Amino acid sequence: MSDRTTDPVPRRLTEWEQRTEVPLFAASLLFLLGYAVRVLSPHGSEPWRDIALALVAATWSAFVVDYGVRLRLSGQGRRFARTHWLDTLVLLLPLLRPLRVVRVYSAVQKRREQPRLSLYARVIVYAGLTSVLLGFSAALAVYQQEHGAPGASIRTFGDAVWWACATLTTVGYGDAVPVTPVGRLIAALLMACGLALLGAVTGSFSSWLLQVFSREDEKGPPASG
C-alpha cells in the first residue's frame, strides 16, 4: 500500500485550481477595492461604505468556498492546512493574497500554452507586482489602525503609503512608524515580505549577470587578424 503523502496531486484538484485561479485573483482585486473604499471613505458616506462592506464579505466568501472545495478534492483532510499553509494564511488574512500572484501566472500560461517568460523576467515581474499590491494593502491596513491612535505619526493615507514604501525597500527612515500593536504586527509582516522580495530580485539579477559573464568567457578573446 503506497503512502498517501507521496501520491501526486489529484487531477480534479489540479483542474479546479487552473480554472479558478484567475477568477479568484480578480475577486482578490475586488476585495482590495472594497476594503480601500471602506477604509478611505469618510463616515457618513453612505451607501458606498455599505456597498464596500458587502463586496468584501462576498469576495471573502468566495475564498472560503474555494478553500473548502480544494480541501475536499485533495483528499488530505486536516493535513491540507499544513501542506497548503500559504492558502490557509491567505484565507485568514486576505490582504496577503498578492503572494499567490505566481500561481495566477502559471495558470494563465498552462491555459493559453504561450511561451513562458525567462526565469529572471518572471521573478522580477512577480516581485514587482507583489510589492505594489502588498504595499498598498499594508498601507490601507496600517492607516486604518493608526490614523486615530494617540501619538500616531501616520495620520493620512499618504503617510501610510510613504511608510509602506520605506518598509518594503528596507530603508526605514523612521519618520513614520506604527504605534499600535496591530500596526506593528503588520509592519513586521511587511518587513519579512520586503526582505524576501528584495532578496529574490537581487539574487535573480546577480544570477543573470553571472550567466552573461560566463557566456562572454566561453567565447574567449577575439582572434587577432
Side-chain angles (χ1 to χ4, degrees), residues 23-212:
L24 285 175
F25 179 69
S28 69
L29 296 180
L30 290 176
F31 177 93
L32 187 57
L33 174 63
Y35 182 69
V37 172
R38 184 73 182 178
V39 170
L40 298 178
S41 59
H43 291 283
S45 57
E46 308 298 344
W48 298 111
R49 288 175 58 84
D50 293 335
I51 294 175
L53 182 60
L55 185 60
V56 168
T59 50
W60 189 75
S61 298
F63 302 153
V64 173
V65 171
D66 170 70
Y67 187 87
V69 171
R70 289 190 292 116
L71 172 63
R72 182 171 183 177
L73 293 178
S74 69
Q76 293 182 330
R78 295 181 180 179
R79 290 188 293 110
F80 182 84
R82 184 175 67 254
T83 58
H84 295 73
W85 61 270
L86 180 58
D87 298 328
T88 306
L89 181 62
V90 166
L91 179 65
L92 299 176
L93 300 173
L95 289 177
L96 294 178
R97 200 162 184 90
L99 294 175
R100 290 175 56 92
V101 168
V102 67
R103 301 183 67 171
V104 177
Y105 171 81
S106 299
V108 171
Q109 291 297 319
K110 290 179 180 178
R111 181 180 302 178
R112 297 184 179 181
E113 297 182 354
Q114 294 179 351
R116 293 174 177 269
L117 296 174
S118 68
L119 173 61
Y120 311 113
R122 274 183 283 163
V123 170
I124 292 175
V125 170
Y126 167 68
L129 184 57
T130 303
S131 298
V132 171
L133 293 176
L134 204 58
F136 182 66
S137 301
L140 285 172
V142 164
Y143 172 72
Q144 182 183 29
Q145 297 294 325
E146 296 289 321
H147 72 281
S153 57
I154 301 177
R155 292 292 184 180
T156 66
F157 183 63
D159 294 336
V161 172
W162 171 253
W163 164 83
C165 292
T167 303
L168 266 175
T169 56
T170 68
V171 174
Y173 284 108
D175 55 342
V177 294
V179 297
T180 63
V182 176
R184 290 177 175 176
L185 176 60
I186 296 170
L189 292 173
L190 191 61
M191 289 176 195
C193 292
L195 286 172
L197 292 171
L198 183 62
V201 173
T202 303
S204 179
F205 183 69
S206 300
S207 179
W208 176 75
L209 286 178
L210 288 173
Q211 188 179 65
V212 171

Side-chain angles (χ1 to χ4, degrees), residues 8-27:
V9 178
R11 181 177 57 85
R12 293 178 59 191
L13 175 60
T14 302
E15 293 176 351
W16 171 267
E17 290 178 341
Q18 291 179 4
R19 288 198 304 266
T20 59
E21 200 65 55
V22 174
L24 285 175
F25 179 69

